[in-house]
């Protein structure tokens, strides 16, 4: 069963991805436990609201022409993440994932980030 991707914050940001106006989602439940984690209070994956494809697509429509990128913080290659990255790419947006990993797991994972 696919676990639901949940987010605790959604905001427009300018600093996280240089040169881009980004819609940023902070995802709960990151499993990596990096030392000095900036979001340790969101480790519980039950926190926040479910991020549905319908809501996500609606937000991209709402900000159409105003944002150039979507960034996920703490998503950590959640099994659902590729779906949302693909939706963003289909809306001609750049995509970014803040990660504590050195590389993306799984074949072709990096192809979802541009
Ligand atoms: S990848 Fe980011 S959210 Fe996850 S533990 Fe590391 S610093 Fe925290």
């Amino acid at each position: 069963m696919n676990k639901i991707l949940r987010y605790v914050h959604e905001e427009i940001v300018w600093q996280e991805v240089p040169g881009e106006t980004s819609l940023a989602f902070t995802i709960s439940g990151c499993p990596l436990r990096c030392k000095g984690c900036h979001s340790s209070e969101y480790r519980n994956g039950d926190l926040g609201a479910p991020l549905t494809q319908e809501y996500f697509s609606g937000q991209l429509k709402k900000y159409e022409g105003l944002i150039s990128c979507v960034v996920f913080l703490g998503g950590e290659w959640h099994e659902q993440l590729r779906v949302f990255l693909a939706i963003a790419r289909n809306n001609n947006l750049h995509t970014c994932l803040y990660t504590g990993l050195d590389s993306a797991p799984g074949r072709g994972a990096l192809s979802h980030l541009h």
Side-chain angles (χ1 to χ4, degrees), residues 26-43 73-76 97-101:
T26 300
I27 304 301
S28 66
C30 178
L32 293 188
R33 310 290 189 264
C34 298
K35 188 177 177 186
C37 172
H38 52 72
S39 307
S40 56
E41 67 271 37
Y42 303 136
R43 284 180 180 165
L73 303 119
E76 288 317 318
L97 171 67
Y98 266 53
T99 178
L101 296 175

Side-chain angles (χ1 to χ4, degrees), residues 7-45:
Y7 69 104
V8 290
H9 285 302
E10 174 191 352
E11 59 187 328
I12 303 293
V13 298
W14 289 272
Q15 293 188 330
E16 277 70 3
V17 188
E20 307 282 354
T21 299
S22 301
L23 178 60
F25 289 90
T26 300
I27 304 301
S28 66
C30 178
L32 293 188
R33 310 290 189 264
C34 298
K35 188 177 177 186
C37 172
H38 52 72
S39 307
S40 56
E41 67 271 37
Y42 303 136
R43 284 180 180 165
N44 180 348

Side-chain angles (χ1 to χ4, degrees), residues 59-73:
Q59 292 304 88
L60 299 191
K61 191 79 179 162
K62 174 180 168 184
Y63 291 113
E64 188 176 7
L66 300 173
I67 59 171
S68 56
C69 182
V70 175
V71 57
F72 291 92
L73 303 119

